Amino acid sequence: MRAVLMAGGSGTRLRPLTCDLPKPMVPILNRPIAEHIINLLRRHNITEIIATLYYLPDVMRDYFQDGKDFGVEMTYAVEDEQPLGTAGCVKNVEDLLRNTFLVISGDSITDFDLQAAIAFHRQKKSKATLVLTRVPNPVEFGVVITDKEQKIVRFLEKPSSSEIFSDTVNTGTYILEPEVLKYLPPNEESDFSKDLFPLLLAKNEPMYGYIAEGYWCDVGHLDAYREAQYDALEKKVKLEFAYREKSPGVWLGQNTYIDPTAKIEPPALIGDNCRIGPGVMIEQGCVIGDNVTIGTASDLKRPIIWNGVTVGDESYLAACVIARGTRIDRRSQVLEGAIIGPLSILGEEAQISSNVRVWPNKRIESGAILNINLIWGSTANRNLFGQRGVTGLANIDITPEFAVKLGAAYGSTLKAGAQVVVSRDQRGFSRMISRSLISGLMSVGINIQNLEATAIPISRTMTPKLGVSGGVHLRAHPDRTDHILIEFFDDQGINITKSQEKKIEGAYFKEDLRRVGIADIGNMSYPAQVIDTYRETFETQLDLDSISNSDPKIVIDYVYGVSGAILPQLLTKFGCDAIVLNASLRQTTVTTEERESLLHQLGQVVEAVKANLGAQVSANGEQFILVDESGLSIRGEWLTALMVNTIFTAYPRSTVVVPVEASSAVEQIARRHDGRVIRTKSNPTALMEAAQMNPNVSLGGSGDTGFIFPQLHPGFDAMFSLAKLLEMLATQERSLVQIQAELPRICHKSYVLRCPWKVKGALMRYLVEIHNPEQLELIDGVKIINPQNDNWILILPDAGEPFVHIVANSDDREWVDVNIREYRHKVQSFIEQQQGDLISM
């Protein structure tokens, strides 16, 4: 059998280690990753290997040559003009693949039993067998779901946290029959996971998943690169060491001298021709390459040191990576997670802070303290985007320095000269961060339409009207008063897609930032008549005569937000008798306790003045809570049901869009009016997209997110929602109390459990496995439904926190209480079991 070794990657997430080295040639235990893969293939009697190359192909060819020195026969196929993708590069060597063949990724470390996988493939008479494994956190990988016979039934490529249905992932190793390649176009870029395998699934070709036992690590980022070395030293994976084991857990190369006063804690590996000076401390986990010199009294705490490195006296290296040929002068410090690129020089007593990256051939002056990436800016080691936008503690996580780089990263994904709308709430820290973000955008040649302090619905309305490429809005987080939230829009005012978020993250983390000349730096302008434009758009969607003739009285609490400067103008125009509370702008955020106190005050005022209704507007004009004429608040699922009932009465046979966790009252109301309900994932972008894609949608959203009227603009808008509600109450001649009396009585409860990130995928797979597929809905999380009625249980992983939400819904309160208890117990027991298993590993 022949094997195709996919070795074309440039390893962008391993920069700066791969600037002059293809990723498969990065060393693990002083041998290239590709050599470990070739050794694995040879051990399983696979000795004919075709390596597909693209990035720096000569490096690998010069090292392995014809393969005889490694016990194999090597052939090379170079993609000269353009990368062909994982499947396209295999299609490129189709003429060499006449029989069953194996494809293996060139950037992973594994000891899987390949012959067992091949036997499984032949037993199942499979056309394509994917070698799978189970991982604690599958977010970074392609999830594969199989049935009881291990036949593949579904793929999910790099899911978000709330989309995880299983912890079984694709390892990039496949056993294929040559006829599957006929489905691929020649000389075109194509991917196994995105193109070929979904096509085979659609064609009903026999395709199976073999769940392999053993070790697997995708060396896709720097943390994984270090962990793979530590795991290999601890013999968690079967690899062939390049050196003899001089004593238990200590591997030593030839012609290496270690001073008798040096101390080595196993496991550790030291290469050929090394010199270890007096008093050196080498702690467990150290990997030292060939031709390395370690100076007197240096302290090494698990660094990975490549060939030809010189470390001066009394230096300190902690869980870092030092690439080949680097010189570290005396008393220098390189802290945990730092990366020093090849041929760099650290001057005496220089310090490289944690997680800082130094690109190749750089020089750090003596005594310098480097706490940002050299040249490219500061480094972050987390995902930028959460459930909605970028969020973090104001002036701690989200700093001016961070915002400049974020703006530059976003702008670098757009064409130079493009225009972007930028807006914010009225708070001082939002103003500060927006100015920094604008600077970053202008530095990469983006022109700014600055709306300054305004409500977010106005920003979404203006984005398409100004003909810009997108928008950014900054504000205090609606649920966390000490956090700032930065949201990005597309050219229609809809929150950007996950793929667009990934592009911004890629530019940010890879520091792939465009810089333009002075003449091309972006300009900034301030659009005029913004409020008038919004008001005119607003008015086109309302029956103003109905509102004016009903002479409504409304009390609105603006909670000191910027919408308080806008909505009074609109209400006056519509002939409303509006009583305004707390409309003055306040720089500080309002706490949850303050908001509840203001809501109580609002109820008292509504009742005292005999108003038709009251409303507390929050989230920078996106959300609101109603207060009926008796002073009682209407929020959450009750508010969702009220708005849905009112809109279906006004627009029967229309469609509403709600999140997956909304109560079944929505469906019951829809059935009364011959309406349709679309449920989406539990995030704002999904709601916006679904509301825009379906032309018959009259309402989207929920009481927790706010409501969308897609004919107006694609976002949530509390101001328009209130005006539209006044219109519908007038035309239907009903009050809020009367509408509430018509609503279905549904019991809808939720419970939150702490769930470690590493357990979420396994939990979702467990829940899928223990239920009949006919009972399951997998829109978001795992929803167990009763097809005969509206009873259901939803287990929904939190996208931003280590939690899982359990939601129960029924018109029977006892059923809800029983099932909440039952699933709390199931979920909690599974989490405890998994945590126990992780501890024992």
Side-chain angles (χ1 to χ4, degrees), residues 254-300:
Q254 297 179 359
N255 195 32
T256 286
Y257 172 78
I258 300 176
D259 188 275
T261 61
K263 295 182 179 179
I264 303 175
E265 292 181 359
L269 181 143
I270 303 172
D272 296 328
N273 308 312
C274 294
R275 294 292 179 266
I276 310 299
V280 171
M281 181 66 199
I282 298 176
E283 294 192 1
Q284 58 182 354
C286 288
V287 175
I288 299 173
D290 298 334
N291 307 306
V292 172
T293 299
I294 308 294
T296 300
S298 290
D299 188 359
L300 275 57

Side-chain angles (χ1 to χ4, degrees), residues 75-348:
T75 307
Y76 303 92
V78 180
E79 304 162 42
D80 291 320
E81 297 180 0
Q82 64 175 27
L84 295 173
T86 59
C89 70
V90 178
K91 175 71 173 180
N92 196 37
V93 295
E94 184 176 13
D95 291 342
L96 302 176
L97 303 170
R98 300 298 184 187
N99 301 303
T100 304
F101 63 94
L102 180 140
V103 175
I104 190 165
S105 171
D107 53 11
S108 60
I109 293 293
T110 182
D111 56 10
F112 288 159
D113 186 341
L114 300 180
Q115 286 298 338
I118 293 166
F120 172 89
H121 173 85
R122 287 172 172 156
Q123 174 199 344
K124 295 290 186 181
K125 297 181 180 178
S126 176
K127 295 293 185 184
T129 296
L130 282 65
V131 178
L132 311 176
T133 192
R134 288 183 175 139
V135 298
N137 185 6
V139 170
E140 290 295 322
F141 308 102
V143 173
V144 181
I145 300 175
T146 60
D147 63 16
K148 293 179 181 178
E149 299 300 321
Q150 292 183 260
K151 190 172 185 180
I152 292 172
V153 296
R154 186 172 180 185
F155 296 96
L156 189 61
E157 187 68 13
K158 294 188 179 180
S160 67
S161 299
S162 62
E163 293 175 314
I164 299 170
F165 301 140
S166 176
D167 60 348
T168 308
V169 302
N170 180 0
T171 67
T173 300
Y174 317 120
I175 304 155
L176 305 174
E177 296 301 318
E179 54 261 41
V180 302
L181 298 179
K182 71 183 180 183
Y183 290 106
L184 294 172
N187 302 316
E188 289 185 20
E189 184 175 354
S190 56
D191 184 87
F192 280 117
S193 297
K194 295 178 182 176
D195 301 312
L196 180 60
F197 294 149
L199 183 58
L200 294 179
L201 197 62
K203 298 287 187 182
N204 204 28
E205 292 279 11
M207 186 164 46
Y208 289 81
Y210 174 77
I211 301 176
E213 298 293 332
Y215 181 91
W216 177 75
C217 177
D218 175 23
V219 189
H221 54 82
L222 294 163
D223 289 342
Y225 174 68
R226 293 200 313 272
E227 288 302 321
Q229 313 253 13
Y230 303 149
D231 289 345
L233 287 177
E234 293 170 7
K235 298 186 177 180
K236 293 181 180 179
V237 55
K238 299 172 187 175
L239 297 182
E240 297 177 23
F241 285 60
Y243 316 107
R244 65 185 178 89
E245 192 171 7
K246 181 181 179 183
S247 60
V250 177
W251 291 266
L252 202 61
Q254 297 179 359
N255 195 32
T256 286
Y257 172 78
I258 300 176
D259 188 275
T261 61
K263 295 182 179 179
I264 303 175
E265 292 181 359
L269 181 143
I270 303 172
D272 296 328
N273 308 312
C274 294
R275 294 292 179 266
I276 310 299
V280 171
M281 181 66 199
I282 298 176
E283 294 192 1
Q284 58 182 354
C286 288
V287 175
I288 299 173
D290 298 334
N291 307 306
V292 172
T293 299
I294 308 294
T296 300
S298 290
D299 188 359
L300 275 57
K301 298 183 183 296
R302 306 209 307 166
I304 309 299
I305 301 174
W306 290 16
N307 296 348
V309 170
T310 300
V311 179
D313 298 345
E314 300 178 44
S315 293
Y316 176 84
L317 309 179
C320 54
V321 179
I322 312 297
R324 65 178 177 84
T326 291
R327 191 184 90 204
I328 299 175
D329 289 344
R330 67 191 299 269
R331 293 184 180 174
S332 291
Q333 298 183 33
V334 184
L335 303 184
E336 184 171 352
I339 309 294
I340 310 299
L343 305 174
S344 295
I345 298 174
L346 273 68
E348 188 170 325

Side-chain angles (χ1 to χ4, degrees), residues 367-658:
I369 298 175
L370 188 66
N371 53 24
I372 62 172
N373 288 357
L374 186 55
I375 297 176
W376 301 102
S378 58
T379 299
N381 56 0
R382 59 178 174 82
N383 290 333
L384 292 179
F385 287 85
Q387 177 80 332
R388 62 185 303 177
V390 177
T391 187
L393 283 163
N395 216 26
I396 296 176
D397 297 324
I398 309 295
T399 62
E401 300 90 337
F402 170 86
V404 168
K405 185 175 174 183
L406 178 62
Y410 172 44
S412 296
T413 67
L414 306 173
K415 291 181 180 179
Q419 293 193 80
V420 165
V421 162
V422 178
S423 58
R424 57 176 173 82
D425 68 12
Q426 80 280 6
R427 293 172 175 84
F429 61 75
S430 299
R431 181 188 302 111
M432 174 186 73
I433 297 300
S434 72
R435 288 174 175 174
S436 299
L437 190 136
I438 286 169
S439 296
L441 283 164
M442 293 174 68
S443 76
V444 297
I446 301 300
N447 299 311
I448 308 300
Q449 296 281 347
N450 193 349
L451 302 185
E452 301 184 281
T454 194
I456 189 169
I458 294 177
S459 299
R460 294 191 193 276
T461 301
M462 294 302 298
T463 297
K465 290 186 180 297
L466 291 170
V468 297
S469 299
V472 189
H473 185 82
L474 304 90
R475 55 172 163 151
H477 195 288
D479 305 317
R480 308 175 77 173
T481 56
D482 55 351
H483 282 56
I484 191 168
L485 172 62
I486 307 173
E487 290 182 271
F488 294 80
F489 315 149
D490 65 13
D491 57 359
Q492 296 303 307
I494 301 173
N495 282 18
I496 61 173
T497 63
K498 290 293 180 186
S499 64
Q500 290 171 304
E501 290 178 357
K502 293 292 184 186
K503 286 181 181 178
I504 297 171
E505 286 183 345
Y508 183 94
F509 287 121
K510 289 185 283 187
E511 287 120 13
D512 188 12
L513 309 177
R514 181 175 64 228
R515 289 286 182 241
V516 299
I518 293 175
D520 297 318
I521 289 173
N523 297 313
M524 183 158 58
S525 57
Y526 300 85
Q529 299 180 318
V530 171
I531 302 298
D532 289 340
T533 302
Y534 174 70
R535 176 178 53 76
E536 290 166 4
T537 308
F538 200 104
E539 291 174 358
T540 62
Q541 302 299 320
L542 291 173
D543 182 349
L544 300 181
D545 290 337
S546 295
I547 298 174
S548 180
N549 293 337
S550 65
D551 194 23
K553 179 181 286 188
I554 180 172
V555 184
I556 303 182
D557 175 13
Y558 296 109
V559 199
Y560 308 106
V562 72
S563 55
I566 300 162
L567 193 51
Q569 302 175 37
L570 302 173
L571 292 173
T572 301
K573 173 78 175 180
F574 304 152
C576 293
D577 181 4
I579 299 171
V580 174
L581 305 178
N582 308 313
S584 60
L585 298 183
R586 197 167 102 179
Q587 293 295 319
T588 57
T589 55
V590 178
T591 66
T592 302
E593 292 76 14
E594 286 179 299
R595 188 177 288 117
E596 289 299 317
S597 176
L598 294 175
L599 186 63
H600 177 70
Q601 176 194 74
L602 173 63
Q604 292 177 319
V605 174
V606 168
E607 192 175 14
V609 301
K610 295 182 170 51
N612 298 86
L613 59 89
Q616 185 182 78
V617 179
S618 60
N620 199 219
E622 280 193 331
Q623 299 170 12
F624 64 96
I625 297 172
L626 285 178
V627 171
D628 67 20
E629 53 266 46
S630 62
L632 298 177
S633 63
I634 307 169
R635 64 174 90 187
E637 294 304 320
W638 201 240
L639 178 56
T640 305
L642 184 141
M643 289 296 291
V644 168
N645 184 288
T646 310
I647 204 78
F648 270 137
T649 303
Y651 304 99
R653 293 180 295 282
S654 66
T655 300
V656 298
V657 175
V658 296

